[in-house]
Amino acid sequence: MAGFNKIKSTPPRWLLAELTYACPLQCPYCSNPVDYAKYQSELSTEDWKRVLTQARKMGAVQLGFSGGEPLTRKDLAELVKHAGDLGYYSNLITSGYGLTEERIVQLKDAGLDHIQISIQASTQELSDHLAGTESYQRKREVAHLIKKHGYPMVLCVVIHRENIHEMPHILEMAEELGADYLELANAQYYGWAHLNRDLLLPTKEQFEQAEQIAQAFKEKVAGKMKIYYVVPDFYEDRPKACMNGWGTTFLTIAPDGVALPCHSARDLPGLDCPNIKDYSIDEIWNESKAFNFFRGFEWMKEPCSSCDEKEKDFGGCRCQAYLLTGDMYNADPVCSKSLNHSVIQKAIDSAKVSAALSDNEKPLIFRNSKNSRDMA
Amino acid sequence: MTLNLNKPIKFSPLHRLQWEEAQQKDVILYPEGMVELNQSSAEILKCCDGTRNLDQIVSALELKFETTGLKNDITAFLEVALKNGWIQQN
């Protein structure tokens, strides 16, 4: 079976540093684990510096400071400075909540290259509702400050059934705020989004209409703004090439120091994901069971193992296979060749039924510590 | 958007051009992305310092590499670079 033979690996290029699970927002589609509240410990500044140094030496060049809300870490500027000295391109992935002009300047001086800010919707009422926190107005102000201080800015809006009808206004908002890049991220159904899927998954008609509007806008703003469009894979018939292949490109470090081949991997059974307190990044990347588990093609079952597209999509997403079929070795059920493909249609049908229910009958479960403790 | 022959060309301040030791390549870095460059593309972009126009860049590179006839290739690459936002003209 998988994982115990070492397979020749390419060096990591992308390091995602999840500095903390603490966050002032409560978005019901958060990609953090639903039981995040049980991971209380956070790495020290020295631990993070060592991780950054070791991963850079191996060839990592893109660095995302993420979370939770990375701004809650008091040593953020110190880590940004360390990353800059090492030659990383550093991205701050933030809710923008609590970001002051003073801190924007401080981070710029420390060498931060780019800020990605999220807004939940194009209207205050809906955005504040989804964030579970009054934050919309402040986020808009922060977006202007980011541009004022010369950063490239990515505006990220997660798209789902609650806000998909706002697509034209979301695009207008991105233009008005001067976004250099607009990430229209159709929700991916892991973590909290999986929990709330019946309330978040749009219908095919809604999705297609929104995509058409976004496509027309993309042509209109060509040369001024770039659009990153993350497809909702439930309406595709081939799976995404998840993480560009397991253990080929991406390295995520969770707040407690656990190294993950993708940010959902700690939910997969039996991987024994290693901790940076016990091993070097080189050992983790090249030697560990977790990072070798789904490298290459040896681990595959049918229909993947004989599929002529396996080198294109690597059988899709392991976490999605596990979440939806109960077996992480299965083909991603999004694939129409998967024997479990019908679970996707069932999910779509189930979401349709929920769309007819009122908020009281089926409320969104917000991402917060209380709900997380209830899930554990 | 097409290249203006008279205006100076500068590398975009929203991107970063950098030598990567691990890859033995020059790369362009931008929010959440990277483009790997071959040697000639990197040499062209390094000339985009905001003081030289197309002809001056061609002359500089032909002098540096002791050759002629580079204009078509350089123009074609800079058109691509402009379209991708890697370079700017005011």
PDB file of all heavy atoms in Angstrom, chain A residues 258-273:
ATOM      1  N   VAL A 258       2.142  21.141  13.205  1.00  0.00           N
ATOM      2  CA  VAL A 258       1.951  19.934  12.399  1.00  0.00           C
ATOM      3  C   VAL A 258       2.094  20.298  10.914  1.00  0.00           C
ATOM      4  O   VAL A 258       1.508  21.274  10.457  1.00  0.00           O
ATOM      5  CB  VAL A 258       0.575  19.296  12.681  1.00  0.00           C
ATOM      6  CG1 VAL A 258       0.256  18.202  11.678  1.00  0.00           C
ATOM      7  CG2 VAL A 258       0.557  18.729  14.097  1.00  0.00           C
ATOM      8  N   ALA A 259       2.910  19.528  10.220  1.00  0.00           N
ATOM      9  CA  ALA A 259       3.152  19.770   8.793  1.00  0.00           C
ATOM     10  C   ALA A 259       2.163  18.958   7.970  1.00  0.00           C
ATOM     11  O   ALA A 259       1.998  17.762   8.196  1.00  0.00           O
ATOM     12  CB  ALA A 259       4.583  19.377   8.425  1.00  0.00           C
ATOM     13  N   LEU A 260       1.494  19.634   7.024  1.00  0.00           N
ATOM     14  CA  LEU A 260       0.420  18.996   6.256  1.00  0.00           C
ATOM     15  C   LEU A 260       0.666  19.134   4.757  1.00  0.00           C
ATOM     16  O   LEU A 260       1.032  20.202   4.284  1.00  0.00           O
ATOM     17  CB  LEU A 260      -0.921  19.665   6.593  1.00  0.00           C
ATOM     18  CG  LEU A 260      -1.324  19.700   8.068  1.00  0.00           C
ATOM     19  CD1 LEU A 260      -2.485  20.665   8.280  1.00  0.00           C
ATOM     20  CD2 LEU A 260      -1.699  18.304   8.533  1.00  0.00           C
ATOM     21  N   PRO A 261       0.415  18.062   3.995  1.00  0.00           N
ATOM     22  CA  PRO A 261       0.524  18.150   2.536  1.00  0.00           C
ATOM     23  C   PRO A 261      -0.589  18.999   1.918  1.00  0.00           C
ATOM     24  O   PRO A 261      -0.456  19.472   0.802  1.00  0.00           O
ATOM     25  CB  PRO A 261       0.405  16.694   2.077  1.00  0.00           C
ATOM     26  CG  PRO A 261       0.702  15.880   3.303  1.00  0.00           C
ATOM     27  CD  PRO A 261       0.200  16.681   4.456  1.00  0.00           C
ATOM     28  N   CYS A 262      -1.711  19.177   2.633  1.00  0.00           N
ATOM     29  CA  CYS A 262      -2.722  20.138   2.229  1.00  0.00           C
ATOM     30  C   CYS A 262      -3.426  20.559   3.518  1.00  0.00           C
ATOM     31  O   CYS A 262      -3.326  19.849   4.524  1.00  0.00           O
ATOM     32  CB  CYS A 262      -3.721  19.559   1.234  1.00  0.00           C
ATOM     33  SG  CYS A 262      -5.045  18.610   1.984  1.00  0.00           S
ATOM     34  N   HIS A 263      -4.144  21.686   3.507  1.00  0.00           N
ATOM     35  CA  HIS A 263      -4.586  22.201   4.801  1.00  0.00           C
ATOM     36  C   HIS A 263      -5.722  21.394   5.425  1.00  0.00           C
ATOM     37  O   HIS A 263      -6.051  21.587   6.588  1.00  0.00           O
ATOM     38  CB  HIS A 263      -4.895  23.697   4.740  1.00  0.00           C
ATOM     39  CG  HIS A 263      -5.927  24.054   3.737  1.00  0.00           C
ATOM     40  ND1 HIS A 263      -5.594  24.555   2.501  1.00  0.00           N
ATOM     41  CD2 HIS A 263      -7.255  23.958   3.759  1.00  0.00           C
ATOM     42  CE1 HIS A 263      -6.691  24.742   1.818  1.00  0.00           C
ATOM     43  NE2 HIS A 263      -7.714  24.394   2.549  1.00  0.00           N
ATOM     44  N   SER A 264      -6.300  20.430   4.675  1.00  0.00           N
ATOM     45  CA  SER A 264      -7.332  19.569   5.272  1.00  0.00           C
ATOM     46  C   SER A 264      -6.787  18.211   5.696  1.00  0.00           C
ATOM     47  O   SER A 264      -7.515  17.390   6.237  1.00  0.00           O
ATOM     48  CB  SER A 264      -8.470  19.331   4.272  1.00  0.00           C
ATOM     49  OG  SER A 264      -9.172  20.520   4.043  1.00  0.00           O
ATOM     50  N   ALA A 265      -5.513  17.975   5.447  1.00  0.00           N
ATOM     51  CA  ALA A 265      -4.969  16.609   5.594  1.00  0.00           C
ATOM     52  C   ALA A 265      -4.999  16.077   7.016  1.00  0.00           C
ATOM     53  O   ALA A 265      -4.910  14.870   7.226  1.00  0.00           O
ATOM     54  CB  ALA A 265      -3.552  16.542   5.039  1.00  0.00           C
ATOM     55  N   ARG A 266      -5.149  16.971   8.011  1.00  0.00           N
ATOM     56  CA  ARG A 266      -5.134  16.424   9.369  1.00  0.00           C
ATOM     57  C   ARG A 266      -6.418  15.661   9.676  1.00  0.00           C
ATOM     58  O   ARG A 266      -6.476  14.932  10.663  1.00  0.00           O
ATOM     59  CB  ARG A 266      -4.800  17.496  10.410  1.00  0.00           C
ATOM     60  CG  ARG A 266      -5.853  18.507  10.731  1.00  0.00           C
ATOM     61  CD  ARG A 266      -5.311  19.645  11.614  1.00  0.00           C
ATOM     62  NE  ARG A 266      -4.611  19.193  12.806  1.00  0.00           N
ATOM     63  CZ  ARG A 266      -3.739  19.925  13.511  1.00  0.00           C
ATOM     64  NH1 ARG A 266      -3.450  21.149  13.156  1.00  0.00           N
ATOM     65  NH2 ARG A 266      -3.160  19.458  14.567  1.00  0.00           N
ATOM     66  N   ASP A 267      -7.419  15.759   8.804  1.00  0.00           N
ATOM     67  CA  ASP A 267      -8.645  14.979   8.969  1.00  0.00           C
ATOM     68  C   ASP A 267      -8.522  13.562   8.399  1.00  0.00           C
ATOM     69  O   ASP A 267      -9.395  12.729   8.625  1.00  0.00           O
ATOM     70  CB  ASP A 267      -9.830  15.687   8.289  1.00  0.00           C
ATOM     71  CG  ASP A 267     -10.205  16.978   9.014  1.00  0.00           C
ATOM     72  OD1 ASP A 267      -9.880  17.092  10.214  1.00  0.00           O
ATOM     73  OD2 ASP A 267     -10.810  17.860   8.382  1.00  0.00           O
ATOM     74  N   LEU A 268      -7.469  13.285   7.621  1.00  0.00           N
ATOM     75  CA  LEU A 268      -7.319  11.947   7.031  1.00  0.00           C
ATOM     76  C   LEU A 268      -6.740  10.981   8.070  1.00  0.00           C
ATOM     77  O   LEU A 268      -5.850  11.353   8.835  1.00  0.00           O
ATOM     78  CB  LEU A 268      -6.400  12.015   5.802  1.00  0.00           C
ATOM     79  CG  LEU A 268      -6.909  12.845   4.628  1.00  0.00           C
ATOM     80  CD1 LEU A 268      -5.860  12.892   3.522  1.00  0.00           C
ATOM     81  CD2 LEU A 268      -8.223  12.282   4.085  1.00  0.00           C
ATOM     82  N   PRO A 269      -7.235   9.737   8.090  1.00  0.00           N
ATOM     83  CA  PRO A 269      -6.780   8.792   9.125  1.00  0.00           C
ATOM     84  C   PRO A 269      -5.419   8.168   8.797  1.00  0.00           C
ATOM     85  O   PRO A 269      -5.110   7.906   7.636  1.00  0.00           O
ATOM     86  CB  PRO A 269      -7.882   7.715   9.093  1.00  0.00           C
ATOM     87  CG  PRO A 269      -8.412   7.755   7.690  1.00  0.00           C
ATOM     88  CD  PRO A 269      -8.270   9.173   7.205  1.00  0.00           C
ATOM     89  N   GLY A 270      -4.628   7.959   9.835  1.00  0.00           N
ATOM     90  CA  GLY A 270      -3.423   7.143   9.708  1.00  0.00           C
ATOM     91  C   GLY A 270      -2.227   7.771   9.018  1.00  0.00           C
ATOM     92  O   GLY A 270      -1.278   7.086   8.671  1.00  0.00           O
ATOM     93  N   LEU A 271      -2.264   9.086   8.796  1.00  0.00           N
ATOM     94  CA  LEU A 271      -1.138   9.721   8.110  1.00  0.00           C
ATOM     95  C   LEU A 271       0.017  10.040   9.052  1.00  0.00           C
ATOM     96  O   LEU A 271       1.151  10.185   8.624  1.00  0.00           O
ATOM     97  CB  LEU A 271      -1.595  11.027   7.418  1.00  0.00           C
ATOM     98  CG  LEU A 271      -1.834  10.919   5.920  1.00  0.00           C
ATOM     99  CD1 LEU A 271      -2.910   9.902   5.620  1.00  0.00           C
ATOM    100  CD2 LEU A 271      -2.206  12.265   5.321  1.00  0.00           C
ATOM    101  N   ASP A 272      -0.292  10.163  10.349  1.00  0.00           N
ATOM    102  CA  ASP A 272       0.724  10.528  11.340  1.00  0.00           C
ATOM    103  C   ASP A 272       1.510  11.760  10.905  1.00  0.00           C
ATOM    104  O   ASP A 272       2.746  11.720  10.803  1.00  0.00           O
ATOM    105  CB  ASP A 272       1.705   9.362  11.579  1.00  0.00           C
ATOM    106  CG  ASP A 272       0.986   8.095  12.016  1.00  0.00           C
ATOM    107  OD1 ASP A 272      -0.094   8.222  12.614  1.00  0.00           O
ATOM    108  OD2 ASP A 272       1.497   6.989  11.745  1.00  0.00           O
ATOM    109  N   CYS A 273       0.806  12.829  10.633  1.00  0.00           N
ATOM    110  CA  CYS A 273       1.481  14.037  10.138  1.00  0.00           C
ATOM    111  C   CYS A 273       2.527  14.506  11.152  1.00  0.00           C
ATOM    112  O   CYS A 273       2.242  14.644  12.340  1.00  0.00           O
ATOM    113  CB  CYS A 273       0.458  15.140   9.856  1.00  0.00           C
ATOM    114  SG  CYS A 273      -0.589  14.751   8.455  1.00  0.00           S
TER     115      CYS A 273
END
